[in-house]
């Protein structure tokens, strides 16, 4: 699976005009895009190689998935719906290295900046969606989190189009790509978003807390080894439209 860390940025063309504002997406809301959100981020480009993958039996790149998401997800997406990059696991892994307790001054400074940007996401309920690529396979994660509730996580689902991924349970385990992704997501929230909420200690002491009520959800299945990106893209778009 080709996993490009990020798509190249446009410099000259202007982004398309935004859709008319809605009550649930006021124009004065200016949050830090969550996890390199391709929908709310700057315009993306893809290479000829990314596009050529559509012509044959080839894996789709993460750059192409993010590019397509940017162009097909409605621009008036409700503010509580967060779309993560298809490189979300890489993003969480890299950012989670930053900590106020690190011996590396750059990591300490990076952690401070991330807290300033992301603490706003502890103030209400959000739904995070990502067609994530990890270990050569795409799957979709859907997580509702709200730190004001007694249960910080609800409706935690994983959609996997490849039945033969070796799973033997209806719940993602910590040593699976889906389980590792969810735990990395929890760690990111803990360090940079919800560090001053009532759930901080629980999430710190139980790094697998998010797996408690997580389940694999039914979704269309692929019949080859290379279409997971396409199926994950379609699944995410269906969830956004639901």
């Amino acid at each position: 699976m080709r996993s490009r860390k990020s798509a190249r940025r446009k410099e000259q063309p202007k982004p398309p005009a935004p859709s008319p504002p809605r009550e649930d997406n006021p124009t004065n809301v200016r949050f830090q895009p969550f996890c390199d959100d391709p929908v709310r981020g700057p315009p993306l480009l893809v290479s000829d190689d990314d596009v050529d993958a559509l012509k044959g039996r080839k894996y789709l790149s993460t750059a192409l998935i993010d590019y397509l998401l940017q162009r097909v997800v409605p621009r008036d997406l409700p503010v509580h719906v967060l779309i993560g990059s298809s490189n979300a696991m890489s993003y969480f892994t890299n950012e989670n290295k930053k900590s106020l307790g690190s011996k590396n001054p750059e990591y300490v400074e990076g952690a401070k900046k991330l807290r300033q940007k992301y603490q706003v996401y502890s103030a209400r309920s959000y739904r995070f969606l990502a067609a994530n690529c990890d270990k050569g396979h795409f799957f979709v994660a859907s997580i509702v989190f709200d730190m004001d509730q007694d249960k910080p996580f609800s409706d935690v689902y994983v959609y996997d189009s490849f039945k033969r991924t070796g799973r033997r349970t209806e719940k993602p385990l910590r040593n699976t790509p889906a389980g590792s992704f969810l735990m990395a997501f929890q760690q990111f929230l803990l360090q940079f978003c919800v560090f001053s909420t009532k759930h901080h200690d629980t999430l710190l002491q139980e790094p697998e807390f998010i797996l408690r009520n997580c389940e694999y959800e039914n979704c269309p299945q692929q019949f080859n080894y290379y279409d997971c990106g396409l199926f994950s893209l379609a699944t995410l778009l269906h969830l956004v439209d639901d």
Side-chain angles (χ1 to χ4, degrees), residues 2-221:
R2 291 178 298 152
S3 179
R4 304 196 173 189
K5 295 302 181 184
S6 63
R8 292 174 294 167
R9 309 296 181 182
K10 287 184 178 179
E11 296 181 359
Q12 299 299 329
K14 295 181 179 180
S19 301
R22 298 177 359 179
E23 288 188 9
D24 55 358
N25 189 23
T27 56
N28 62 346
V29 174
R30 291 292 182 268
F31 293 165
Q32 170 74 17
F34 196 93
C35 186
D36 283 345
D37 183 340
V39 178
R40 298 181 175 94
L44 302 173
L45 279 176
V46 289
S47 69
D48 292 338
D49 288 341
D50 294 320
V51 177
D52 286 342
L54 294 169
K55 301 176 182 179
R57 299 178 179 181
K58 299 179 182 179
Y59 298 114
L60 302 186
S61 69
T62 53
L64 181 60
I65 295 296
D66 284 353
Y67 175 86
L68 293 173
L69 284 173
Q70 187 172 79
R71 279 151 181 77
V72 298
V73 172
R75 303 298 293 181
D76 59 349
L77 189 69
V79 70
H80 73 277
V81 178
L82 311 176
I83 307 295
S85 166
S86 56
N87 279 311
M89 184 60 177
S90 295
Y91 177 85
F92 291 142
T93 300
N94 290 332
E95 300 296 41
N96 285 343
K97 296 176 183 177
K98 301 172 183 178
S99 169
L100 295 182
S102 175
K103 296 181 180 180
N104 186 329
E106 293 183 1
Y107 283 174
V108 174
E109 187 63 27
K112 291 179 180 178
K113 292 180 179 179
L114 285 170
R115 285 190 169 200
Q116 292 174 354
K117 293 177 179 179
Y118 283 101
Q119 186 177 10
V120 65
Y121 290 106
S122 67
R124 57 164 294 175
S125 176
Y126 289 95
R127 185 187 190 188
F128 175 67
L129 296 165
N132 177 68
C133 179
D134 188 31
K135 294 180 171 62
H137 181 58
F138 282 96
F139 58 85
V140 175
S142 174
I143 310 161
V144 175
F145 63 96
D146 187 346
M147 296 302 130
D148 286 336
Q149 300 299 315
D150 292 335
K151 295 181 179 181
F153 301 114
S154 61
D155 297 333
V156 182
Y157 297 113
V158 172
Y159 301 81
D160 191 337
S161 64
F162 199 30
K163 288 183 177 179
R164 292 163 290 180
T165 52
R167 69 174 187 251
R168 299 178 181 178
T169 175
E170 291 306 310
K171 291 180 176 294
L173 302 177
R174 64 171 297 163
N175 60 346
T176 62
S180 298
F181 175 79
L182 294 171
M183 292 171 61
F185 172 77
Q186 175 179 314
Q187 184 182 351
F188 181 84
L189 288 185
L190 172 66
Q191 293 187 178
F192 309 119
C193 304
V194 304
F195 50 88
S196 61
T197 68
K198 62 183 180 182
H199 294 294
H200 173 270
D201 291 345
T202 298
L203 299 183
L204 178 63
Q205 296 166 11
E206 300 183 47
E208 300 178 32
F209 184 89
I210 194 172
L211 302 183
R212 285 186 177 184
N213 298 313
C214 179
E215 297 180 356
Y216 284 108
E217 190 73 353
N218 292 329
C219 65
Q221 297 292 298

